[in-house]
């Protein structure tokens, strides 16, 4: 089945915010002390390994016919975490390799791309740094990977984690805009016919100025209307309202290649929303209360046919 999918030119891409995939060790250069065994979250090795395996379980569940070819991950701490995920978790026999950033983010969180070497071969990669505005905290680099698909197409993949809305949406809007401008500047260096995918957590909705800027610059938000099959009407639920701050966008050269775009809301990724009714993502922590869940975001899945 996997071979037939590859020969027919299908490629499956997943985007997932992992909700603080930290290890249990303090990085003296980062503000990560809350993720220690003796800290407020009691982030013990047992909880860490459960989290690593949970993320592996989420990724496996995103494609019924075969494992996803590409997985854009947000909120991963470092190389040790990615090595544990790909070599020592439920994914240890999946064959994933990875590339990730090493950003100046104060908490130490980064972005990464998992890839299946038999369906995507990286040619080159880079970290696109974002120069912060005055008064803006250092933010995550944008990961750029150029690779060749199994059928010989060149694919340009960008993984983004834009600054949060902490401090107010309007007040922090310029922080996200500067990231989008850095992204578009890089894309505009590519040929007009380039096949580009941008995936990540934008901390903005489809109709927010930052996403509208990307669309006005020529990208297409193929997950704008993405929904799940078990009640999810977005990737994130806040105060009982479903929204999507995770997005996957493609260049015009890839628009006609998108055959599926949906939210993976498998029942095990959901829990009852006792306050507002319905369901919500089954997250790892509710405030500071550990509840053995997966993430506060649901994964996005896009399937492409070249």
């Amino acid at each position: 089945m996997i071979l037939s999918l590859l020969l027919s030119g299908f490629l499956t891409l997943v985007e997932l915010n992992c909700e603080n995939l930290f290890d249990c060790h303090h990085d003296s250069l980062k503000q990560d002390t809350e993720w220690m065994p003796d800290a407020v979250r009691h982030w013990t090795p047992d909880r860490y390994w459960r989290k690593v395996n949970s993320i592996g379980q989420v990724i496996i569940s995103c494609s019924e016919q075969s494992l996803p070819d590409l997985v854009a991950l947000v909120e991963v701490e470092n190389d040790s975490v990615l090595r544990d995920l790909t070599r020592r978790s439920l994914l240890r026999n999946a064959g994933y390799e990875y590339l990730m950033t090493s950003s100046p983010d104060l908490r130490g969180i980064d972005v990464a791309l998992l890839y299946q070497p038999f369906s995507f071969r990286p040619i080159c990669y880079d970290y696109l740094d974002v120069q912060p505005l005055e008064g803006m905290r250092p933010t995550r680099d944008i990961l750029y990977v150029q690779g060749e698909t199994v059928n010989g197409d060149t694919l340009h993949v960008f993984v983004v984690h834009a600054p949060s809305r902490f401090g107010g949406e309007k007040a922090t809007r310029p922080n996200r805009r500067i990231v989008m401008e850095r992204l578009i500047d890089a894309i505009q260096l590519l040929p007009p016919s380039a096949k580009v995918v941008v995936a990540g957590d934008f901390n903005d909705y489809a109709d927010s100025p930052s996403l509208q800027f990307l669309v006005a610059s020529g990208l297409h938000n193929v997950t704008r209307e993405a929904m799940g099959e078990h009640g999810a009407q977005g990737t994130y639920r806040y105060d009982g309202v479903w929204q999507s701050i995770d997005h996957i966008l493609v260049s015009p050269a890839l628009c006609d290649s998108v055959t599926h775009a949906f939210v993976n809301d498998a029942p095990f990724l959901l829990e009852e929303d006792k306050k507002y009714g319905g369901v919500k993502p089954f997250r790892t922590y509710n405030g500071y209360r550990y509840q053995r869940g997966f993430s506060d975001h649901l994964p996005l899945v896009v399937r492409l046919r070249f």
Side-chain angles (χ1 to χ4, degrees):
M1 175 62 75
I2 294 176
L3 180 60
S4 65
L5 285 171
L6 292 175
L7 293 177
S8 63
F10 282 106
L11 183 144
T12 300
L13 167 71
V14 170
E15 183 278 337
L16 173 65
N17 182 316
C18 298
E19 190 198 357
N20 297 313
L21 184 52
F22 281 83
D23 62 23
C24 303
H25 309 290
H26 175 46
D27 182 342
S28 60
L29 301 177
K30 300 296 181 180
Q31 298 174 7
D32 62 352
T33 52
E34 67 179 295
W35 300 99
M36 303 291 110
D38 58 352
V40 63
R41 292 188 183 276
H42 304 290
W43 192 238
T44 62
D46 285 346
R47 291 183 176 185
Y48 167 69
W49 283 109
R50 180 180 179 86
K51 176 76 172 186
V52 169
N53 278 303
S54 293
I55 296 301
Q57 186 180 358
V58 175
I59 293 170
I60 291 169
S61 73
C62 286
S63 183
E64 295 180 356
Q65 297 170 313
S66 63
L67 288 167
D69 301 283
L70 298 172
V71 185
L73 295 178
V74 174
E75 288 197 16
V76 291
E77 184 184 15
N78 52 35
D79 182 78
S80 296
V81 167
L82 266 294
R83 188 169 60 249
D84 287 342
L85 178 64
T86 56
R87 299 292 183 267
R88 303 177 67 189
S89 77
L90 295 175
L91 295 178
R92 60 186 174 276
N93 296 320
Y96 280 113
E97 301 292 339
Y98 64 89
L99 295 164
M100 72 175 304
T101 57
S102 181
S103 303
D105 177 84
L106 297 180
R107 295 177 60 220
I109 57 176
D110 279 291
V111 301
L113 182 72
L114 306 188
Y115 63 91
Q116 290 281 359
F118 57 76
S119 57
F120 181 81
R121 180 178 65 85
I123 298 170
C124 63
Y125 68 96
D126 200 0
Y127 314 137
L128 309 180
D129 64 312
V130 179
Q131 294 300 316
L133 301 172
E134 184 178 355
M136 174 183 167
R137 290 165 45 129
T139 191
R140 279 74 59 173
D141 293 346
I142 301 169
L143 176 63
Y144 166 63
V145 183
Q146 176 185 342
E148 184 180 12
T149 65
V150 70
N151 61 331
D153 279 316
T154 299
L155 192 63
H156 304 269
V157 183
F158 295 84
V159 185
V160 176
H161 186 189
S164 76
R165 294 183 168 205
F166 183 76
E169 185 278 327
K170 188 173 182 180
T172 58
R173 190 179 297 174
N175 301 347
R176 291 182 291 281
R177 173 65 179 235
I178 198 71
V179 174
M180 301 308 118
E181 290 176 353
R182 181 71 174 96
L183 171 66
I184 292 300
D185 286 346
I187 292 175
Q188 289 179 341
L189 295 176
L190 302 174
S193 61
K195 296 180 177 180
V196 178
V197 175
V198 180
D201 178 350
F202 292 78
N203 274 306
D204 264 335
Y205 309 127
D207 58 356
S208 297
S210 65
L211 270 296
Q212 290 301 305
F213 171 72
L214 296 184
V215 171
S217 300
L219 294 177
H220 297 260
N221 190 347
V222 296
T223 56
R224 181 185 177 99
E225 306 296 333
M227 300 177 64
E229 295 183 347
H230 301 96
Q233 300 173 37
T235 60
Y236 187 80
R237 199 174 199 220
Y238 181 72
D239 284 349
V241 178
W242 283 103
Q243 298 278 5
S244 284
I245 56 178
D246 307 276
H247 306 276
I248 297 176
L249 302 96
V250 303
S251 61
L254 272 182
C255 275
D256 293 339
S257 302
V258 177
T259 63
H260 298 81
F262 62 93
V263 176
N264 175 15
D265 64 342
F268 76 92
L269 297 176
L270 303 171
E271 65 172 334
E272 179 186 359
D273 191 333
K274 297 179 180 179
K275 183 175 182 180
Y276 296 102
V279 293
K280 62 182 181 179
F282 184 25
R283 59 189 302 171
T284 306
Y285 279 88
N286 185 359
Y288 286 98
R289 181 172 61 85
Y290 178 66
Q291 56 177 27
R292 303 167 65 91
F294 297 86
S295 175
D296 55 346
H297 292 241
L298 295 172
L300 281 174
V301 184
V302 166
R303 195 176 183 201
L304 301 166
R305 182 171 186 174
F306 291 97

